[in-house]
Amino acid sequence: MDRNDVYMIPTSIKEVKALGWDYIDVIIFTGDAFVDHPSFGTAVIARWLQKHGYRVAVVPQPNWRDDLRDFRKLGAPRLYFGVNSGAMDSMVNHYTAAKRLRSDDAYTPEGRAGQRPDYAVTVYTKILKQIYPDIPVVIGGIEASLRRFTHYDYWQDALKPSILVDSCADWLCYGMGERPMLELTRAIESGRNISDIRRIPQLGFRMDGKCRQKDAVILNSYERCCKDKKAFAENFHVIETYANMLSQPPLVEPVGDGYIQINPSYPVATEQEMDSFWDLPYTKQPHPRYKGKHIPAFEMIKFSINTHRGCFGGCNFCTIAAHQGKFIQSRSEKSILKEIAALNDLPGFAGNISDIGAPTANMYGMKGRDLNLCSKCRRKSCLFPSPCRNMDRSHQRLLKLYEEISKVKGIRHAYIGSGIRYDLFLDEKGFIDQTSYPYLRELILEHTSGRLKVAPEHTEDCVLKLMAKPSFRLFERLRLEFDNIVRSSGRKCELVPYFISGHPGCGMREMRRLASNPALRGLYMEQVQDFTPTPMTTSSVMFYTGLDPKNLDNVYVERDVEKKKQQKSFFFKRGK
């Protein structure tokens, strides 16, 4: 191999032989094309394990329809197989909110659809278990993470048990997997006692019999949840409450003649740990096997920079906190600036960064003023129903970071493509501190390419309450401040609001009020998404049960696909 291929992760037997390997420690099967970029979880885990001395290979988008040669081509790994569906749940990837098959796939070369199966994690794992019954299989990524407990599956319109049951995987790693996967890999390699391995944080597994662990919280069984929607809602409320706490117990959910155990997560990653996850030899390119082919998802993020993980917004329809965690885990400025400087070495980079952000771009560096209070807190959101007084919402550190980025040689523009939370710098009276106005002004004038996209999600407070989003009056205040800044600067810039139709609590009356709201006049209005119930969100539990899991109050739900479609189309008709 030439110098540029020294750190290439192999995907074929030819590439394995070129590296001179006579064995592979870990083989990862994934539903995505393999892109060696820190925005793709497969690359992160492969590079992280490689850094610690393990030989890792990746089999991207294996053919599950033929003689299964893709599952046999690299043989058996020395330690285990890893399996994920890719950067999305395979069902969300395949189907629209109207349950129609999508015609393309952004994570596949040339956007071709049909290159991964429905329920990819389960399909891949069953095949591997059939061919290599004695080799452990570890599942992870979005699909496994968000299906770790009993969950509502919108596409089958039914409750499904933990993905550990259907897939028959040995281990499940949920959330951001660097630390649990490294510890698990070392444990398997050293032959640690199985009961010892079962104590590793952030792992899930299935056991026969009854749980005898004294500190575990026992949930309602899968079977009871199937018979009683209230039991399912109660389960979710317990799961979500503990998932948003710094200190968590093991959670146990009985199923069949055994149970699923999900261990507590690792502590919040330190800044040094976060930097180490990015300080890896990513090529930041698709694997050479895709030479000359267009991968849409890569094109979107190839010149983007991720500053942190997590989100404390707590939106009821969002899965980010369930996967990345509520508490913000930030990289150091030094690490971010180092990555930005290196963009100049990438082919095609013309000085324009497409995004400096994360799930919520302006949460970088934010945390509670008194972490002792955070350690006792049971709130799902630090912003809803009102901002936590302990949360430091200053944008000073972020503004300083933007200033330093502007000084990096070769950088012309640094855009913010990720979402922002305007309730981090505004309340209904105006800006909350001395950094708020400077942040919004810089965001609009320096980091927006003509349109500032924000997500009020709805106009009606009855719906927004069920979404765990702030009152629409706050968006009205944002528009006022936005218009003032644009007018005084002489710049041309539009405010583009995003909305959700068909969410629990929303009917045609609410959509009619949304579409006719005077505060939206003159705005670009074709940004509405039909609500899709995805596993492990409060909104999906509401959709299935008709109950708010927090208090078990009844919630109106529009489940008819055609009527949900009418909600969305009505918005367009009224918005013209």
Side-chain angles (χ1 to χ4, degrees):
M1 291 187 178
D2 64 30
R3 184 176 61 84
N4 293 327
D5 290 332
V6 170
Y7 295 111
M8 186 177 73
I9 301 290
T11 64
S12 68
I13 193 64
K14 180 180 178 181
E15 293 162 5
V16 170
K17 288 180 177 178
L19 288 168
W21 292 359
D22 55 356
Y23 65 88
I24 304 171
D25 292 310
V26 178
I27 301 174
I28 301 175
F29 285 78
T30 179
D32 285 347
F34 182 49
V35 179
D36 191 16
H37 189 286
S39 293
F40 294 81
T42 299
V44 173
I45 298 303
R47 289 297 186 188
W48 182 246
L49 294 179
Q50 180 194 61
K51 175 182 178 177
H52 291 87
Y54 294 100
R55 295 178 176 181
V56 183
V58 172
V59 179
Q61 300 188 313
N63 190 336
W64 75 99
R65 299 185 180 101
D66 61 4
D67 61 1
L68 308 181
R69 68 187 68 182
D70 283 348
F71 292 87
R72 294 185 172 94
K73 66 181 182 181
L74 298 184
R78 185 171 70 97
L79 300 177
Y80 62 85
F81 289 108
V83 170
N84 67 65
S85 68
M88 295 175 66
D89 183 283
S90 57
M91 301 305 288
V92 178
N93 178 278
H94 282 172
Y95 299 96
T96 69
K99 300 186 179 180
R100 292 178 178 173
L101 195 64
R102 298 185 191 275
S103 59
D104 56 7
D105 182 345
Y107 294 88
T108 299
E110 308 304 341
R112 293 192 313 274
Q115 300 305 299
R116 81 189 82 209
D118 288 357
Y119 306 104
V121 168
T122 296
V123 172
Y124 294 162
T125 301
K126 283 185 172 180
I127 291 171
L128 290 169
K129 279 300 190 182
Q130 175 188 341
I131 300 173
Y132 306 100
D134 298 326
I135 305 296
V137 177
V138 184
I139 58 176
I142 292 287
E143 186 165 306
S145 183
L146 300 182
R147 294 173 181 264
R148 59 189 185 261
F149 293 102
T150 294
H151 55 281
Y152 172 63
D153 186 89
Y154 175 61
W155 301 272
Q156 292 186 16
D157 191 25
L159 286 191
K160 293 174 69 71
S162 166
I163 195 171
L164 281 162
V165 174
D166 287 344
S167 69
C168 299
D170 297 272
W171 305 101
L172 182 154
C173 174
Y174 70 92
M176 311 308 281
E178 294 93 343
R179 291 173 291 173
M181 287 302 294
L182 179 58
E183 186 171 351
L184 177 61
T185 305
R186 287 171 168 169
I188 293 174
E189 180 181 39
S190 63
R192 272 169 59 182
N193 186 290
I194 193 74
S195 61
D196 221 14
I197 298 178
R198 289 185 185 128
R199 287 195 283 268
I200 294 176
Q202 235 164 289
L203 289 188
F205 49 89
R206 188 185 185 282
M207 292 280 288
D208 292 330
K210 292 185 177 181
C211 176
R212 304 186 187 283
Q213 192 164 332
K214 293 181 179 179
D215 63 338
V217 172
I218 310 298
L219 303 169
N220 296 312
S221 70
Y222 164 68
E223 289 79 9
R224 183 180 173 193
C225 289
C226 289
K227 295 177 182 178
D228 182 1
K229 291 183 176 181
K230 182 179 176 182
F232 175 58
E234 289 172 343
N235 266 18
F236 183 81
H237 180 59
V238 173
I239 292 165
E240 186 175 51
T241 297
Y242 284 119
N244 287 306
M245 294 176 64
L246 279 173
S247 180
Q248 310 154 12
L251 298 181
V252 168
E253 187 177 66
V255 56
D257 58 358
Y259 61 91
I260 299 298
Q261 178 168 320
I262 305 296
N263 288 343
S265 63
Y266 267 81
V268 175
T270 65
E271 192 173 276
Q272 292 73 26
E273 286 173 324
M274 285 291 289
D275 287 356
S276 71
F277 303 153
W278 267 264
D279 187 23
L280 299 169
Y282 302 106
T283 64
K284 288 204 165 184
Q285 298 293 308
H287 190 277
R289 66 188 285 151
Y290 307 115
K291 187 175 182 180
K293 295 182 179 180
H294 176 82
I295 302 175
F298 166 69
E299 297 300 328
M300 291 176 63
I301 57 84
K302 62 181 178 180
F303 301 136
S304 67
I305 301 293
N306 198 298
T307 57
H308 60 281
R309 291 175 176 170
C311 181
F312 53 76
C315 299
N316 282 343
F317 50 80
C318 182
T319 61
I320 290 168
H323 186 66
Q324 293 195 13
K326 179 177 86 169
F327 297 92
I328 302 303
Q329 302 165 82
S330 299
R331 299 168 62 189
S332 70
E333 289 85 350
K334 182 179 179 181
S335 173
I336 294 168
L337 293 170
K338 177 182 176 183
E339 184 181 3
I340 288 174
L343 290 175
N344 290 294
D345 299 327
L346 294 179
F349 183 66
N352 299 314
I353 302 173
S354 61
D355 183 26
I356 298 176
T360 302
N362 58 326
M363 286 186 182
Y364 175 73
M366 292 188 179
K367 59 184 179 181
R369 294 183 177 89
D370 183 348
L371 295 182
N372 288 323
L373 293 178
C374 293
S375 67
K376 302 170 187 175
C377 182
R378 298 171 72 93
R379 284 180 59 158
K380 171 188 173 181
S381 170
C382 302
L383 295 175
F384 184 86
S386 61
C388 175
R389 294 181 180 180
N390 188 45
M391 175 56 64
D392 183 358
R393 290 184 281 167
S394 171
H395 287 68
Q396 187 61 46
R397 184 177 177 185
L398 192 53
L399 285 167
K400 181 64 176 176
L401 174 63
Y402 292 164
E403 181 184 350
E404 293 302 314
I405 290 171
S406 69
K407 299 175 184 177
V408 177
K409 184 179 179 181
I411 302 304
R412 297 171 58 198
H413 300 288
Y415 298 113
I416 311 300
S418 301
I420 63 157
R421 289 285 301 229
Y422 46 87
D423 47 355
L424 287 173
F425 54 80
L426 272 180
D427 59 25
E428 292 176 24
K429 297 178 181 178
F431 294 105
I432 65 166
D433 67 14
Q434 70 274 15
T435 69
S436 298
Y437 174 78
Y439 173 77
L440 180 58
R441 188 176 191 280
E442 176 157 345
L443 175 68
I444 295 169
L445 302 183
E446 305 296 335
H447 304 290
T448 302
S449 57
R451 285 181 173 175
L452 177 62
K453 299 176 182 179
V454 294
E457 309 296 9
H458 216 284
T459 59
E460 304 309 293
D461 284 350
C462 60
V463 181
L464 289 167
K465 183 178 179 181
L466 292 172
M467 292 178 168
K469 294 286 289 187
S471 170
F472 188 69
R473 291 190 297 274
L474 192 58
F475 173 81
E476 294 173 354
R477 183 72 197 206
L478 174 69
R479 183 173 185 185
L480 174 66
E481 301 297 348
F482 176 91
D483 289 346
N484 287 338
I485 290 172
V486 171
R487 190 183 306 111
S488 63
S489 69
R491 299 277 188 91
K492 289 186 178 180
C493 190
E494 292 181 279
L495 188 63
V496 181
Y498 279 70
F499 296 98
I500 294 177
S501 62
H503 188 276
C506 181
M508 287 302 295
R509 180 181 62 179
E510 286 74 26
M511 289 306 295
R512 186 178 295 110
R513 289 177 176 173
L514 189 163
S516 61
N517 192 297
L520 299 176
R521 289 174 187 162
L523 297 180
Y524 182 77
M525 289 296 292
E526 294 192 358
Q527 300 293 329
V528 63
Q529 178 180 351
D530 189 10
F531 169 67
T532 302
T534 54
M536 211 166 175
T537 68
T538 301
S539 298
S540 296
V541 175
M542 290 181 191
F543 183 88
Y544 172 69
T545 65
L547 301 170
D548 184 339
K550 185 176 181 179
N551 50 31
L552 300 181
D553 287 347
N554 291 323
V555 176
Y556 169 77
V557 177
E558 180 57 81
R559 295 189 181 88
D560 185 274
V561 171
E562 286 305 311
K563 289 183 178 179
K564 279 166 59 65
K565 184 179 177 181
Q566 288 175 20
Q567 283 197 28
K568 184 176 179 179
S569 62
F570 177 87
F571 175 84
F572 288 128
K573 291 175 185 176
R574 297 283 296 185
K576 289 182 179 178

